[in-house]
Amino acid sequence: MNKREGEACPRKNSDSASDRDGNANSSSPVIAAFKVFQQELDTKHDKYERLVKISRDVTIDSKRSIFLLHRVTSVPDAEDVLKEAEVKLDGVRQKIGQIAEELRGEDIYQFHRAFTPGIQEYVEAVSFLHYIRHRSLISLEEINASLVFMKEEKGGAETPLGAQVLTFQVTPSDYLLGVADLTGELMRLCISSVGNGDMDTPFQVSQFLRQIHDGFAYIGNTGPYEVSKKLHVLRQSLGKVEDACYALRVRGSEIPKHMLADVFSSRTALREPEEGMV
C-alpha cells in the first residue's frame, strides 16, 4: 500500500506542475506574441488562396476571349466578334478589380505568385484584341489605364461614404510574359487566315513577330528568368510564320488556296520534331 501511494505522489506533483505551467503560459508575453503571429499568417494565407481562385477565373475567361477572337477569320462580320470579346474582357477586368480590392494596403509582391498566371493571360487576350483591331502592340500604359475601378465605401449604418478609386498596375514582367504568349496566338491566326484565303495577314504577322523577337533579344538575360523559356517558343512561332510566308511567296501560285492551310499544317508537323532534336 505504501509503495502504491508513493507511486501516485509523483503523478499528482507532475499534474499540478503542468497546471501551473499552463496558467503561466497563458499570460506569457511570448505566447501572446506568437498568437498574434498566428493570426497574421492565417490572414495572409486566406488572402493568398482567395487571390489564387480569382486568378484562375481570370485565366479561364481570358482563354475564352482568345478562342472567340480566333473566329474573326471565319465570320463575315468580324466587328461582332470583336465587340463580344470586348464584353468578355470587361468581365475579366471586373475580376481584376477584386484582386485590386484584396491587395489594398498590401505589398503586391508578397502575393504576386498567386495572381500572375491570370494577369499574364489577360495581357495576352487584350493584346490579341488590340492587334486584330489596330495591327500594333498595346503598351503597358494603355493596359494599366483600363484597370481603374470605383469602389463604393459604406459607413457603419450602411450609409455610403463616397467612391474610392482603386487601381491595379500590371508589372513589367507580367506584361513581357503575356506578350511572349501572344506570339503563339498570332501564329495560329496566320495559319487560319491562309485557310480562309487571306494572303496578306501572314506577311503582316511575320513582320510584327520579327519586331517582337528583336525586342526580346535586346532584353537578353536582363529580364525575368521566365523570358528565356518563352523566347524559345517565340522563335518557334516566328519560324512557322516565316515558313508559311516562304511557301506563299514561292509556291503560292502552284497550290490551290483551299489546300494551303493543309500544306502549312504538314510542314509545321515536320518542323517540330526537327526542333525537338536540336
Side-chain angles (χ1 to χ4, degrees), residues 182-250:
L182 169 67
T183 58
E185 303 304 330
L186 293 179
M187 183 270 296
R188 298 179 185 91
L189 176 68
C190 169
I191 303 302
S192 60
S193 298
V194 174
N196 290 280
D198 183 2
M199 304 303 166
D200 297 327
T201 297
F203 295 97
Q204 296 173 355
V205 171
S206 176
Q207 182 65 27
F208 183 69
L209 288 181
R210 288 193 197 99
Q211 294 174 355
I212 293 181
H213 178 269
D214 292 343
F216 276 96
Y218 179 77
I219 293 174
N221 295 327
T222 60
Y225 73 94
E226 297 97 336
V227 170
S228 60
K229 300 178 182 179
K230 297 194 175 185
L231 188 58
H232 176 66
V233 180
L234 192 159
R235 288 169 178 162
Q236 284 183 329
S237 300
L238 176 59
K240 293 171 185 177
V241 173
E242 289 179 338
D243 193 37
C245 293
Y246 166 79
L248 278 177
R249 185 70 71 189
V250 176

Side-chain angles (χ1 to χ4, degrees), residues 116-140:
T116 180
I119 298 303
Q120 292 177 30
E121 199 70 31
Y122 168 74
V123 171
E124 180 183 357
V126 74
S127 58
F128 192 31
L129 173 62
H130 188 274
Y131 177 81
I132 294 174
R133 281 190 182 277
H134 307 288
R135 288 296 191 266
S136 62
L137 179 64
I138 190 171
S139 66
L140 177 61

Side-chain angles (χ1 to χ4, degrees), residues 12-267:
K12 293 180 180 179
N13 294 333
S14 62
D15 292 340
S16 60
S18 61
D19 292 340
R20 288 195 301 270
D21 292 341
N23 294 330
N25 290 338
S26 62
S27 59
S28 171
V30 176
I31 299 299
F34 272 89
K35 286 183 178 180
V36 174
F37 299 155
Q38 179 186 8
Q39 293 176 355
E40 291 178 353
L41 288 175
D42 289 342
T43 301
K44 180 180 178 180
H45 292 159
D46 292 342
K47 185 184 292 290
Y48 191 95
E49 291 301 322
R50 290 195 300 270
L51 288 171
V52 169
K53 293 179 181 179
I54 299 173
S55 175
R56 191 179 298 118
D57 294 338
V58 170
T59 299
I60 293 173
D61 291 343
S62 297
K63 285 184 180 295
R64 289 173 178 170
S65 301
I66 292 173
F67 296 153
L68 175 63
L69 287 170
H70 277 293
R71 293 173 48 199
V72 296
T73 60
S74 59
V75 296
D77 189 2
E79 189 61 31
D80 292 339
V81 175
L82 296 179
K83 290 180 179 178
E84 185 178 352
E86 187 62 46
V87 172
K88 287 183 177 295
L89 289 176
D90 284 338
V92 175
R93 280 187 276 270
Q94 295 304 314
K95 289 182 172 62
I96 296 178
Q98 298 177 20
I99 296 178
E101 175 68 20
E102 291 284 351
L103 294 176
R104 181 166 56 174
E106 301 283 355
D107 182 5
I108 182 175
Y109 291 101
Q110 288 187 359
F111 303 94
H112 185 247
R113 291 178 63 88
F115 59 83
T116 180
I119 298 303
Q120 292 177 30
E121 199 70 31
Y122 168 74
V123 171
E124 180 183 357
V126 74
S127 58
F128 192 31
L129 173 62
H130 188 274
Y131 177 81
I132 294 174
R133 281 190 182 277
H134 307 288
R135 288 296 191 266
S136 62
L137 179 64
I138 190 171
S139 66
L140 177 61
E141 290 75 17
E142 290 176 288
I143 293 177
N144 286 333
S146 64
L147 299 178
V148 179
F149 313 96
M150 301 297 294
K151 180 67 176 179
E152 290 291 338
E153 293 291 333
K154 294 183 179 181
E158 297 297 324
T159 56
L161 297 178
Q164 182 180 7
V165 178
L166 287 177
T167 60
F168 183 88
Q169 297 292 310
V170 176
T171 61
S173 61
D174 287 341
Y175 172 74
L176 289 175
L177 296 172
V179 171
D181 290 333
L182 169 67
T183 58
E185 303 304 330
L186 293 179
M187 183 270 296
R188 298 179 185 91
L189 176 68
C190 169
I191 303 302
S192 60
S193 298
V194 174
N196 290 280
D198 183 2
M199 304 303 166
D200 297 327
T201 297
F203 295 97
Q204 296 173 355
V205 171
S206 176
Q207 182 65 27
F208 183 69
L209 288 181
R210 288 193 197 99
Q211 294 174 355
I212 293 181
H213 178 269
D214 292 343
F216 276 96
Y218 179 77
I219 293 174
N221 295 327
T222 60
Y225 73 94
E226 297 97 336
V227 170
S228 60
K229 300 178 182 179
K230 297 194 175 185
L231 188 58
H232 176 66
V233 180
L234 192 159
R235 288 169 178 162
Q236 284 183 329
S237 300
L238 176 59
K240 293 171 185 177
V241 173
E242 289 179 338
D243 193 37
C245 293
Y246 166 79
L248 278 177
R249 185 70 71 189
V250 176
R251 301 185 58 196
S253 59
E254 304 173 2
I255 306 173
K257 290 183 177 180
H258 66 279
M259 296 180 61
L260 285 172
D262 296 333
V263 173
F264 295 152
S265 299
S266 62
R267 291 172 68 90

